[in-house]
Amino acid sequence: MGDQHFLIDDRVIDRIIRYASLESNDTVLEIGAGTGNLTKSLAKHVSNVIAIESDLSLVEKLEYLSLPNVKVIQGDALKVEFPKFDKIVSNLPYSISSDITFKLLKHNFKLGVLMYQHEFAKRMVATAGMKNYGRLSIVTQYFAEIQIMEIIPNSALYPQPEVKSAIVRIVPHTPQLEGFDKDFFLELVAAVFTQRRKQMKNVIINAAKMMNLGDAEKLIEMLPQEIMSKRPEKLSPEELAVLSNLIYKVHHEAPTI
Ligand code: SAM
């Protein structure tokens, strides 16, 4: 299966553990525990590991390991409701990287150390104006400090993937804007980035339709013109957050415009 590349290099596993700065009372979530190579190491360092794995035959293998402080949940990590956790440490199934990252950022946690496809990791850290800058970069950077810790050799995985992988550290931080509505921001950024090369003025007209925001022309008049003349791909996460707050305020204070 394309999504099953198991970590076989103990040195890489040790570095992942180090990047996670584990403390004995941490509850660690692992998504896609596979054969348990990383799980076993995590279990040595913390009191609680919760491992989600979708493949039933691998779940049986994980249970066979009988690790007393590991709770195995069989299911699709995109559908399973996440339990409370302090840290997330995983070699992710790459096909769900995007959906799982957006899901993750809706939760409160202290730190994540995650392995992604290198190209995906580069999109997470891309900045305004770069070709690979978009919804993923904005959302991850607005809610967290993101750092690519290292690119790992393909030989650290079995079977060897054709693409390079990277270890990424995610340290969430709370948005400081007063009155910030997280769900509205996420919806707006998704709507805006369906049309990354149009001028924001036109983008907002479409977004207003998609999000039922009422009279788009009136709305645009109330928004900063220097932002309306730019393209979404040139806006920083902070600019989009300010814009989201303004639109949210206008819409909720005068919902009939
Ligand atoms: N952590 C293991 C390791 O590093 O050796 C395995 C990593 S492997 C890249 C990804 C694992 O995620 C596989 O075991 C696969 O069966 C599992 N998986 C794939 N899709 C999943 C999903 N939607 N929910 C939970 N697990 C999934």
Side-chain angles (χ1 to χ4, degrees):
M1 269 211 252
D3 251 349
Q4 294 184 332
H5 297 282
F6 304 112
L7 264 170
I8 51 163
D9 188 331
D10 287 341
R11 291 163 303 181
V12 175
I13 294 179
D14 288 348
R15 293 202 294 274
I16 290 177
I17 298 286
R18 186 149 47 81
Y19 298 143
S21 311
L22 297 173
E23 288 171 38
S24 58
N25 60 349
D26 280 337
T27 294
V28 175
L29 178 67
E30 186 189 3
I31 290 171
T35 48
N37 298 348
L38 182 56
T39 323
K40 278 185 271 184
S41 252
L42 290 168
K44 280 187 201 147
H45 288 83
V46 299
S47 50
N48 275 311
V49 179
I50 302 159
I52 305 177
E53 171 57 56
S54 59
D55 185 324
L56 196 54
S57 62
L58 292 174
V59 167
E60 282 167 3
K61 277 193 185 143
L62 289 164
E63 281 169 347
Y64 188 72
L65 295 175
S66 294
L67 299 165
N69 53 342
V70 176
K71 182 181 173 202
V72 183
I73 300 176
Q74 198 253 318
D76 177 349
L78 293 175
K79 295 192 186 132
V80 170
E81 198 176 320
F82 288 171
K84 260 186 171 297
F85 61 98
D86 301 301
K87 294 180 180 166
I88 174 163
V89 181
S90 308
N91 169 17
L92 289 173
Y94 295 162
S95 65
I96 62 165
S97 295
S98 190
D99 290 340
I100 210 74
T101 304
F102 288 124
K103 177 170 177 178
L104 195 58
L105 289 168
K106 290 186 180 156
H107 289 76
N108 286 326
F109 62 101
K110 283 194 243 166
L111 185 140
V113 177
L114 300 167
M115 239 171 79
Y116 290 100
Q117 201 174 316
H118 186 212
E119 286 307 310
F120 187 89
K122 285 200 281 191
R123 279 169 54 206
M124 291 175 93
V125 297
T127 48
M130 285 167 79
K131 216 168 66 199
N132 53 359
Y133 178 72
R135 178 182 166 216
L136 178 73
S137 336
I138 288 162
V139 173
T140 48
Q141 289 169 39
Y142 196 64
F143 293 118
E145 299 290 330
I146 313 286
Q147 194 181 352
I148 296 184
M149 305 305 288
E150 61 174 279
I151 297 158
I152 71 147
N154 290 10
S155 59
L157 295 157
Y158 182 83
Q160 280 197 31
E162 279 168 18
V163 292
K164 274 199 245 163
S165 305
I167 302 172
V168 174
R169 185 158 65 188
I170 299 179
V171 184
H173 49 60
T174 314
Q176 297 300 319
L177 273 183
E178 211 182 304
F180 179 77
D181 188 286
K182 194 169 180 174
D183 291 332
F184 189 82
F185 172 73
L186 292 174
E187 207 186 332
L188 182 73
V189 173
V192 161
F193 272 86
T194 56
Q195 324 144 68
R196 55 183 289 134
R197 288 199 181 83
K198 286 193 186 153
Q199 244 192 5
M200 276 303 284
K201 221 163 116 181
N202 297 321
V203 171
I204 293 297
I205 292 174
N206 282 329
K209 269 190 218 137
M210 287 165 79
M211 294 172 68
N212 278 328
L213 296 177
D215 187 336
E217 299 290 345
K218 276 198 191 146
L219 176 63
I220 288 164
E221 280 171 24
M222 296 183 212
L223 300 174
Q225 293 316 300
E226 75 273 11
I227 290 188
M228 290 302 104
S229 61
K230 282 193 187 170
R231 292 173 181 185
E233 58 191 2
K234 299 277 181 202
L235 294 176
S236 69
E238 290 70 27
E239 281 177 305
L240 277 153
V242 168
L243 188 69
S244 167
N245 251 23
L246 280 172
I247 298 177
Y248 184 84
K249 219 167 146 225
V250 169
H251 184 57
H252 284 81
E253 281 173 6
T256 50
I257 63 157

